[in-house]
């Protein structure tokens, strides 16, 4: 499964990029609003840091405006993927942008039927929001499973991007289901690596090695 970070923080992106396992970035207007500086400049710097798909979202709500913004975003850098909300105008815009060869990430997906329509419109990625469904007592992961099952029957050139992942188990469940991509905040990404037994085990190895070094030094005296 490809790992994307769901952030517009250049600090976090530089830190995570150094680990060499981040395949792409998803941003949205809320994430960009948390950062200071010009959003387009931030997007370009993200693209120059991670050589993978970088989602930048349109804010127009009519198809014409979405297409105009999408073309502009895509012109900023070859890595930009145009993020479009899953509404009727978004489907129209996706059809046009996809026909021009631009990659669209259809976002704010909360049902398998929305994902099916997004794929038919030509979206390159669909983003079901797992955590936000869980928030309203609806099992978000089941939507991801349904979308994967539907896409398995057909040849849509569309990847399932599990989004709004809130904890490591969301990531594991998405990977077990075969989601193509999981996007997550830095806190979840960091938690994927951390294990207390790794830290305890490493401490013990290093302490034991220190003992070997002292014994060797003593035997040379
Ligand atoms: O990628 C979607 C993500 O930004 C939404 O996450 O945690 O705000 O539901 P969350």
């Amino acid at each position: 499964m490809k790992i994307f970070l769901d952030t517009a923080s250049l600090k976090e992106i530089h830190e995570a990029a150094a680990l060499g396992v981040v395949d792409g970035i998803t941003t949205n207007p809320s994430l960009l609003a948390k950062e200071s500086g010009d959003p387009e400049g931030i997007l370009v710097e993200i693209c120059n840091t991670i050589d993978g798909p970088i989602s930048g979202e349109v804010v127009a709500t009519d198809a014409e405006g979405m297409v105009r913004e999408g073309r502009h975003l895509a012109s900023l850098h070859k890595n930009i993927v145009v993020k479009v909300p899953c509404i009727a105008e978004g489907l129209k815009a996706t059809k046009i942008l996809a026909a021009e060869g631009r990659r669209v990430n259809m976002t704010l997906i909360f049902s398998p039927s929305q994902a099916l329509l997004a794929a038919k419109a030509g979206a390159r990625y669909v983003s079901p929001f797992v955590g936000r469904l869980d928030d309203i007592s609806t099992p978000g992961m089941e939507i991801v499973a349904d979308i994967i099952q539907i896409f398995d029957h057909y040849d849509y050139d569309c990847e399932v991007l599990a989004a709004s992942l809130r904890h490591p188990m969301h990531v594991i469940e998405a990977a077990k289901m075969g989601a193509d991509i999981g996007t997550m905040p830095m806190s979840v990404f960091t938690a994927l690596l951390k294990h207390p037994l790794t830290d305890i085990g490493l401490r013990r190895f290093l302490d034991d090695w220190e003992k070997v070094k002292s014994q060797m030094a003593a035997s040379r005296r």
Side-chain angles (χ1 to χ4, degrees):
M1 184 171 75
K2 281 171 268 188
I3 301 271
F4 285 14
L5 274 194
D6 193 37
T7 182
S9 159
L10 289 167
K11 181 176 170 290
E12 289 180 350
I13 290 167
H14 282 292
E15 197 182 318
L19 303 190
V21 293
V22 174
D23 302 294
I25 302 289
T26 48
T27 72
N28 60 39
S30 305
L31 292 170
L32 280 160
K34 285 192 208 161
E35 306 303 316
S36 54
D38 164 41
E40 288 188 5
I42 293 173
L43 277 175
V44 171
E45 188 165 344
I46 295 173
C47 290
N48 289 331
T49 307
I50 301 275
D51 191 16
I54 311 298
S55 289
E57 189 159 341
V58 300
V59 289
T61 52
D62 62 298
E64 199 182 317
M66 288 176 179
V67 169
R68 192 170 46 248
E69 285 180 21
R71 285 177 184 149
H72 174 67
L73 284 168
S75 75
L76 296 175
H77 196 285
K78 67 173 176 54
N79 289 352
I80 294 278
V81 171
V82 182
K83 217 172 178 189
V84 173
C86 191
I87 55 176
E89 292 297 299
L91 284 183
K92 292 182 206 167
T94 296
K95 187 92 188 167
I96 295 167
L97 290 165
E100 293 173 354
R102 303 183 208 283
R103 291 174 297 172
V104 172
N105 173 2
M106 187 140 260
T107 189
L108 290 169
I109 287 195
F110 294 96
S111 72
S113 57
Q114 288 180 312
L116 178 61
L117 294 179
K120 286 187 67 69
R124 183 74 183 72
Y125 308 92
V126 286
S127 290
F129 277 29
V130 175
R132 290 196 193 178
L133 282 165
D134 288 356
D135 287 345
I136 56 159
S137 308
T138 304
M141 261 319 152
E142 288 182 11
I143 305 301
V144 178
D146 287 347
I147 296 169
I148 292 169
Q149 188 185 350
I150 291 167
F151 284 12
D152 274 351
H153 294 299
Y154 306 101
D155 286 331
Y156 301 123
D157 188 15
C158 185
E159 295 185 59
V160 179
L161 195 168
S164 183
L165 303 181
R166 303 269 180 79
H167 50 71
M169 286 314 294
H170 271 157
V171 181
I172 298 307
E173 285 171 41
K176 282 167 77 173
M177 283 172 190
D180 300 290
I181 304 160
T183 191
M184 66 207 74
M186 187 69 175
S187 56
V188 175
F189 175 69
T190 306
L192 293 182
L193 181 62
K194 203 77 188 144
H195 200 292
L197 290 179
T198 304
D199 297 339
I200 291 167
L202 179 60
R203 186 69 263 151
R204 201 174 288 164
F205 286 154
L206 296 179
D207 288 347
D208 288 344
W209 196 245
E210 279 308 312
K211 284 182 208 150
V212 171
K213 281 185 358 193
S214 316
Q215 283 161 4
M216 286 173 69
S219 70
R220 277 199 293 271
R221 280 199 290 271

